[in-house]
Amino acid sequence: MEDGYLFTYNQIHFPGERWENLMIEHELYCHGHLIEAGVSHFEATGEKTALNIAVKAANLLVNDFLNKNPEKTSGHEEVEIALLRLYMVTNQQQYLELARQFFGTARKNPPFSPAHN
């Protein structure tokens, strides 16, 4: 999508719905892999095409999650790792801050805890 969202299952079956059930839908998990792929491609080739896609996806996460609704997290560390790697390549502080937020939130509210119900 134009804003960086990419999760084909929801885009096909539930158009317009996002971030509704992060534990089941794996949206953050998949965005994490997308971001990691962009970083890895950049590190291997020096080309920024895939990195630009990763940045766009990460910027969407920053806009939708940073300093908002702290109980919303998947509890899956993939997105945190990806944001840290993207921060190391771009030096953009917002990626580090969102990784910290997700990490702190996931540890305070483990998956399948009452906070996720």
Side-chain angles (χ1 to χ4, degrees):
M1 303 205 62
E2 290 297 317
D3 64 359
Y5 183 83
L6 180 64
F7 190 64
T8 53
Y9 182 81
N10 277 9
Q11 288 173 284
I12 292 169
H13 297 288
F14 306 106
E17 289 188 28
R18 298 180 180 186
W19 322 128
E20 294 296 323
N21 193 340
L22 296 173
M23 289 300 300
I24 293 174
E25 297 294 332
H26 291 87
E27 290 165 287
L28 293 177
Y29 174 79
C30 292
H31 276 82
H33 280 295
L34 174 66
I35 293 165
E36 285 228 61
V39 170
S40 294
H41 183 268
F42 172 72
E43 290 175 336
T45 66
E47 296 175 12
K48 290 189 174 183
T49 305
L51 182 64
N52 291 340
I53 294 168
V55 164
K56 191 172 192 179
N59 287 343
L60 173 68
L61 298 180
V62 167
N63 289 334
D64 286 356
F65 290 98
L66 187 60
N67 300 319
K68 299 174 189 167
N69 207 355
E71 70 277 354
K72 279 202 136 186
T73 183
S74 66
H76 221 300
E77 59 278 341
E78 175 57 36
V79 71
E80 297 155 353
I81 293 166
L83 289 165
L84 290 174
R85 289 193 63 212
L86 186 61
Y87 165 73
M88 292 188 317
V89 169
T90 64
N91 210 27
Q92 294 295 308
Q93 190 70 25
Q94 70 265 22
Y95 305 140
L96 179 61
E97 291 304 315
L98 185 56
R100 282 183 181 149
Q101 177 182 310
F102 281 154
F103 182 77
T105 302
R107 301 322 158 248
K108 289 177 187 170
N109 300 311
F112 303 109
S113 73
H116 285 282
N117 295 328

